[in-house]
Amino acid sequence: MTVDTSSAGDAGVGAGAGQLAVAAAVAAGEAVLSRRFGSAITLVSPEGLEGSGPATVVRARVVSSSFALPRTLVIKHYPDPPEPGQADPFAQEAVSYQLFTALSPDERMCPELLAHDGRHRVLVIEDLGRAPTLQDKLASRDSRAAERALLSWARSLGRLHASTASREADFNALLRRLGGPVRNQDAGLADLTAEVPPMLADLLDVVVSDPIRDRVAQAVAQARSASFRAFSPVDLSPDNNLVTGSGVRFLDFERGRVRTALVDAAYLRLPFASCEDALALPAGMSEAMIAAWRAEVVSVWPSFADDEELATQLTVSELLMVWLITRETLPKLDLSRHATPVSREAALVTWWRELAKHAGYARLTDIAEHAQRVAAALGARLGPHADLAFYPAFR
């Protein structure tokens, strides 16, 4: 899900959600708050916030109350039950907020959870206001402000990892209490990665050697390892992060879970790669973001103080990320010669080139050579303009 809390304005009921959905969310919010505080609490002036997931998201004002409640709150209401056999986005988000609300305010990289209810499938959280999102900063023409926001995002991600590095058992216990299934969501990685070599051979005439297959198997094992595990929002889209005076704060936890932090760190090298409209950052920006993230986690994982060790771990994780993105993206691309690349096509070429560069720095020659071959094959099919454009702030 994506929630934009910065640009909804004062549209009132109906902005970003139907009137009936907004009314249902407000009613659910009032019910859970009244039960939480033992007295009727009325919410007024509901304002639907833009969202792209299954939840109705509403900002509402609290009528004067004897309780120490903020003046405005945000309600997230999930009106539909989860799909059978699938992870429940309400449970994932509720448990994620519970995990962070138990931490001290300095360690909490998200709004505070004020109330939740599994029967009504509703959460009431702190309203962080109309702060700009990271996407707003990247879409602006202020490169310095965008740089500061990106570094703050990387630091907040590091603090999020450091504060939850030993909390997997807590997360799973909370998920069980809310009825969400606890499953190893990395269990199917080996099957997914096995689909890529035939694609590369059929579509790009690039043969995947046994050493590279072994590297990918190593990356899968690393992702499934008990090492370096911490909470991850999973959806790291820039419009899911508010740039506040206290640093970047994460908003959306519908897919939140515990996994290796190296996956999130690899996304600092492939910024916002899960987004269809991901663009490029200037040279050196990703390295600065990695340094900011590393400064926050090195006390928890001292091995990351070693430059070579960190470079190797990150590159192996980056290989897995590019591999999986290729699996999703390559069959959809127009690979006819001299086609004009759209953003996703240019992004795939760029990320293979970046992988080759980073693998070279880490002296992982086999990965570097393979990535160069894939990037060259993609570039040859897509034509001479397969370069990913920069975010507007850096143009």
Side-chain angles (χ1 to χ4, degrees):
M1 177 185 173
T2 296
V3 174
D4 180 359
T5 66
S6 64
S7 59
D10 296 318
V13 173
Q19 293 187 21
L20 291 178
V22 169
V26 170
E30 289 177 334
V32 68
L33 285 170
S34 297
R35 189 160 47 255
R36 167 75 171 78
F37 292 98
S39 179
I41 292 175
T42 303
L43 303 176
V44 298
S45 304
E47 172 191 344
L49 302 178
E50 294 291 342
S52 62
T56 301
V57 187
V58 178
R59 174 186 284 122
R61 182 166 60 84
V62 180
V63 173
S64 58
S65 166
S66 59
F67 304 104
L69 284 171
R71 191 173 71 88
T72 60
L73 304 170
V74 170
I75 305 158
K76 297 193 74 171
H77 181 223
Y78 292 79
D80 299 322
E83 295 183 20
Q86 300 297 315
D88 181 358
F90 165 75
Q92 299 290 125
E93 182 143 46
V95 167
S96 301
Y97 275 115
Q98 283 181 284
L99 186 72
F100 279 100
T101 299
L103 302 176
S104 68
D106 289 342
E107 296 177 307
R108 194 183 303 138
M109 297 293 106
C110 65
E112 181 181 1
L113 176 66
L114 300 172
H116 74 284
D117 183 86
R119 183 166 62 91
H120 290 283
R121 296 178 61 77
V122 64
L123 300 95
V124 181
I125 61 177
E126 175 188 10
D127 182 12
L128 295 181
R130 302 183 190 278
T133 66
L134 184 55
Q135 179 64 40
D136 293 332
K137 296 293 185 179
L138 292 171
S140 74
R141 295 295 177 179
D142 188 339
S143 61
R144 290 186 179 274
E147 288 175 4
R148 289 193 298 270
L150 286 167
L151 292 176
S152 178
W153 176 63
R155 283 192 295 271
S156 291
L157 185 63
R159 291 193 194 112
L160 179 149
H161 288 154
S163 64
T164 60
S166 59
R167 306 295 298 274
E168 184 166 14
D170 296 338
F171 183 88
N172 290 340
L174 289 168
L175 195 57
R176 289 189 191 95
R177 286 175 55 187
L178 209 56
V182 178
R183 59 165 65 92
N184 183 354
Q185 297 186 49
D186 298 315
L189 281 177
D191 291 337
L192 296 178
T193 57
E195 298 176 18
V196 178
M199 289 184 190
L200 294 177
D202 294 344
L203 299 176
L204 296 178
D205 296 323
V206 173
V207 176
V208 179
S209 66
D210 287 340
I212 292 299
R213 292 174 187 266
D214 292 341
R215 289 287 193 187
V216 173
Q218 176 191 355
V220 170
Q222 176 178 279
R224 298 176 63 180
S225 168
S227 301
F228 313 122
R229 293 180 74 79
F231 178 82
S232 168
V234 177
D235 187 348
L236 294 171
S237 302
D239 47 5
N240 280 336
N241 306 281
L242 285 186
V243 183
T244 74
S246 302
V248 168
R249 294 295 179 262
F250 300 92
L251 289 178
D252 179 31
F253 298 137
E254 288 176 0
R255 297 169 60 198
R257 66 184 181 94
V258 175
R259 65 179 181 181
T260 175
L262 287 164
V263 174
D264 288 352
Y267 276 120
L268 299 178
R269 285 183 164 182
L270 309 169
F272 316 118
S274 61
C275 303
E276 287 295 322
D277 56 353
L279 297 174
L281 298 179
M285 193 68 239
S286 288
E287 288 76 6
M289 290 159 63
I290 290 288
W293 171 83
R294 177 191 197 179
E296 300 295 335
V297 302
V298 71
S299 61
V300 177
W301 298 310
S303 62
F304 289 165
D306 184 292
D307 291 343
E308 291 188 7
E309 173 70 13
L310 179 61
T312 297
Q313 297 272 16
L314 281 177
T315 303
V316 170
S317 188
E318 185 180 359
L319 170 64
L320 179 60
M321 292 302 95
V322 176
W323 204 262
L324 293 174
I325 292 167
T326 300
R327 173 190 168 272
E328 295 177 0
T329 306
L330 190 58
K332 305 174 187 176
L333 299 190
D334 180 2
L335 294 175
S336 59
R337 188 174 296 276
H338 304 310
T340 301
V342 296
S343 173
R344 202 61 178 168
E345 296 170 344
L348 191 59
V349 180
T350 298
W351 292 330
W352 276 105
R353 289 172 180 163
E354 289 295 297
L355 175 60
K357 180 179 71 175
H358 295 144
Y361 292 158
R363 295 197 289 275
L364 301 175
T365 306
D366 51 347
I367 296 178
E369 291 177 349
H370 176 76
Q372 287 169 351
R373 285 196 294 273
V374 176
L378 280 168
R381 295 294 184 90
L382 295 174
H385 305 294
D387 293 315
L388 188 60
F390 289 106
Y391 280 97
F394 302 110
R395 291 177 188 169

